[in-house]
Amino acid sequence: MMLPHLPPAPPDGRCPWGNHSDLLREFHDHEWGEPVAEAGILFEYLVLHTFQLGFDFPVVLKRREGFRELLANFDPEQLARFDEDDIAELLLNPRILRNRRKLEATVQNAQAWLRLRQQVGGDDELLAFFYQFVGGRTVDNRRSATNPAPVSTPQSEAMSKDLKKRGFVMTGPATCYNILQTAGLVNDHSVSCPRHAECAALAERARRV
């Protein structure tokens, strides 16, 4: 994630970026890194990280509810039908990041998402499609001060290449890695962070279901 300069790890062990603001602390403690079990949530993360390009993620998070309301609750079926008039109206609304290319990319990605869902057979199969890039289960990267998260990985590069072939845009390797982190397909919490063990337990529970 593109985050501001952060202090050393706090005494509670939380990932340093999670203490930078109340907004980030809430996101870190209750969402980031939890393995997704719904395709719709994964699509929401795809949309948000598309808008992150060129910004620190908190800039996007502050506008998340605006995005949710104005982008049809992140419903790909509705977003896929947005036209030029819809985009022109969105460009007038200060509650979101007003960027034509990213709004057009969101519509194009919604259309690509629906095609992919039809190709693979449904929402459950969509989740399996994305999990294939990490070997079918959450990867625990055991992050620490000596093993920090990279900008991208071979898994995110493979995911980016595949998505682009399927008509997705603005899904480069770094964006794909942000999605993998946020959606819990990789566990990039520091091993000292209480959320590391919690997300690992959630991933193990999901694997057994």
Side-chain angles (χ1 to χ4, degrees):
M1 298 173 66
M2 293 177 59
L3 295 164
H5 177 70
L6 299 171
D12 62 9
R14 182 186 281 113
C15 299
W17 63 265
N19 277 330
H20 190 69
S21 68
D22 290 342
L23 180 67
L24 283 176
R25 187 176 301 112
E26 179 73 14
F27 181 62
H28 171 278
D29 289 359
H30 301 288
E31 187 169 359
W32 191 76
E34 291 191 3
V36 293
E38 298 177 24
I41 295 174
L42 189 57
F43 179 75
E44 177 178 342
Y45 291 152
L46 187 153
V47 172
L48 293 176
H49 283 298
T50 297
F51 277 93
Q52 179 191 343
L53 287 166
F55 294 97
D56 290 342
F57 199 50
V59 175
V60 178
L61 279 181
K62 288 177 182 177
R63 293 163 174 79
R64 188 178 192 176
E65 292 312 308
F67 280 120
R68 188 184 307 281
E69 179 179 335
L70 297 171
L71 297 183
N73 199 32
F74 302 109
D75 180 351
E77 293 188 3
Q78 293 187 57
L79 281 173
R81 295 193 294 268
F82 276 31
D83 59 20
E84 179 57 36
D85 289 341
D86 294 314
I87 290 176
E89 184 175 348
L90 288 169
L91 288 170
L92 299 175
N93 200 311
R95 296 183 60 203
I96 61 172
L97 295 173
R98 292 174 287 179
N99 182 293
R100 178 179 293 276
R101 287 184 63 239
K102 292 178 181 179
L103 287 168
E104 291 174 344
T106 297
V107 175
Q108 185 171 338
N109 285 343
Q111 294 166 350
W113 182 273
L114 295 180
R115 287 195 302 271
L116 177 57
R117 185 172 70 184
Q118 184 177 26
Q119 290 165 2
V120 299
D123 283 342
D124 289 343
E125 290 79 9
L126 259 179
L127 281 178
F129 169 85
F130 283 95
Y131 267 96
Q132 72 175 316
F133 296 107
V134 293
R137 58 181 294 185
T138 295
V139 174
D140 188 343
N141 286 315
R142 309 289 297 174
R143 298 300 180 197
S144 67
T146 58
N147 180 31
V151 174
S152 65
T153 64
Q155 293 98 326
S156 72
E157 291 169 4
M159 176 176 161
S160 173
K161 184 177 180 179
D162 197 319
L163 291 182
K164 288 179 179 179
K165 287 194 301 183
R166 297 174 185 274
F168 289 83
V169 292
M170 291 192 176
T171 50
T175 295
C176 285
Y177 196 60
N178 286 334
I179 295 169
L180 292 175
Q181 289 177 305
T182 303
L185 276 68
V186 298
N187 185 347
D188 268 2
H189 284 285
S190 170
V191 291
S192 67
C193 177
R195 290 291 287 160
H196 174 267
E198 292 170 2
C199 289
L202 289 171
E204 181 63 20
R205 191 176 308 146
R207 191 173 72 89
R208 290 177 177 176
V209 173

